[in-house]
Amino acid sequence: MKSVLDFKARKGKGRISMSTAYAHWEARFLAASPVDCVLVGDSVATVVDGEATTFAATPEIIARHTAAVARGLAGTKFLIADFPYLAARKGTTSAVECATLLMRAGAHAVKIEGIDGHEDVVRHLVQSGVPVISHLGLTPQSVNALGGYKVQGKTETAAADLLRQARATEAAGASGLVIECIPSEVAREITGALSIPVIGIGAGPHTDGQVLVFHDMLGLNPGFTAKFVRPFADGNKTVTSGLSSFAEAVANGTFPSKKESY
Ligand code: KIV
């Protein structure tokens, strides 16, 4: 999958896999993998920089990581870059400036959290030739308003409101939607109601695809567990054991060997 057109064409034709990436080396692994598409998430702030929230990510930070990832992917995958904290809320001109940075860095689309109050921004970007993926449900940039990292859409009213917002994203021209931490049945209804791909994270099995954070997916995030994450590799164990072996080999003088020396 190399473009937003490939992405949209997959609706109803096989589930889409998406991984985050922040660095060139991660992108090189992804380029050689069957994972369909890649997101440079503002989760870079928490996963890479150790921040408590995603607020510290800026357009410049996302653009820098997008450029590194784009070089690693070398055109092999559809690449989405996140609009960071409040970047869609400062008016159309500011949003265009953010999109310019991200698209020039190599993104093929941008992802924007929420829809209410910035439908016009999404519409303007789409009309300007910038594909937009929306993001609803547990939107980490609104963690304070949501009262924490909690499952959203649990009541009938909240579920109906999520469906309304999902329809609004499609009406504004979004090419896809990420829904985070919502009940499976709500995700099923939203997925069925939209003609654009709906990608879930903590949203159950009925969406058009799944996204996970690279480090969570590979068990590379020590101490982090969430119900919706399945570690598909034991990265923590591999890294810990590799580091111990290196230190031991240095301490006992077996590294470097003659073969590893000039
Ligand atoms: O920033 C991010 O990594 C995300 C995904 C978790 C969807 O938005």
Side-chain angles (χ1 to χ4, degrees):
M1 180 180 294
K2 294 187 179 174
S3 72
V4 72
L5 298 183
D6 298 341
F7 177 77
K8 285 173 83 175
R10 277 282 281 283
K11 176 82 181 181
K13 298 202 184 88
R15 293 195 173 88
I16 298 166
S17 51
M18 183 188 291
S19 171
T20 66
Y22 317 103
H24 179 257
W25 69 269
E26 295 158 3
R28 285 172 61 207
F29 276 112
L30 285 162
S33 80
V35 171
D36 291 308
C37 49
V38 175
L39 165 71
V40 180
D42 61 352
S43 53
V44 66
T46 53
V47 178
V48 176
D49 296 336
E51 298 277 353
T53 68
T54 56
F55 304 169
T58 62
E60 290 73 19
I61 289 172
I62 302 285
R64 187 177 159 83
H65 286 277
T66 300
V69 169
R71 282 192 292 271
L73 293 177
T76 56
K77 309 280 176 187
F78 175 45
L79 177 60
I80 304 156
D82 244 343
F83 252 49
Y85 190 54
L86 296 180
R89 305 293 300 188
K90 296 178 206 159
T92 304
T93 305
S94 175
V96 167
E97 280 161 11
C98 180
T100 304
L101 276 180
L102 303 186
M103 301 301 276
R104 280 193 180 146
H108 304 128
V110 299
K111 177 167 79 58
I112 300 181
E113 291 189 12
I115 187 68
D116 288 346
H118 54 270
E119 302 91 336
D120 55 332
V121 165
V122 171
R123 206 168 278 120
H124 185 79
L125 290 175
V126 171
Q127 284 173 357
S128 308
V130 178
V132 174
I133 308 293
S134 291
H135 183 164
L136 297 174
L138 171 49
T139 43
Q141 291 171 16
S142 303
V143 63
N144 289 305
L146 299 176
Y149 296 100
K150 294 177 180 164
V151 178
Q152 301 297 304
K154 278 167 61 174
T155 64
E156 223 171 280
T157 315
D161 194 51
L162 268 180
L163 180 58
R164 175 195 62 76
Q165 290 178 59
R167 287 198 160 112
T169 67
E170 184 168 3
S175 296
L177 172 65
V178 170
I179 45 176
E180 181 163 351
C181 280
I182 66 169
S184 301
E185 284 313 309
V186 180
R188 187 208 288 267
E189 199 184 347
I190 291 173
T191 304
L194 300 196
S195 61
I196 52 175
V198 177
I199 309 296
I201 173 162
H206 308 300
T207 53
D208 298 306
Q210 300 289 330
V211 55
L212 280 178
V213 166
F214 183 94
H215 300 63
D216 301 343
M217 183 203 309
L218 299 176
L220 276 168
N221 201 349
F224 177 79
T225 47
K227 179 181 158 90
F228 63 81
V229 170
R230 185 188 301 175
F232 289 88
D234 196 347
N236 289 339
K237 198 165 146 194
T238 305
V239 170
T240 304
S241 138
L243 293 173
S244 300
S245 301
F246 167 66
E248 200 181 307
V250 171
N252 66 25
T254 58
F255 175 80
S257 66
K258 205 166 169 199
K259 231 173 83 187
E260 289 155 338
S261 307
Y262 297 103

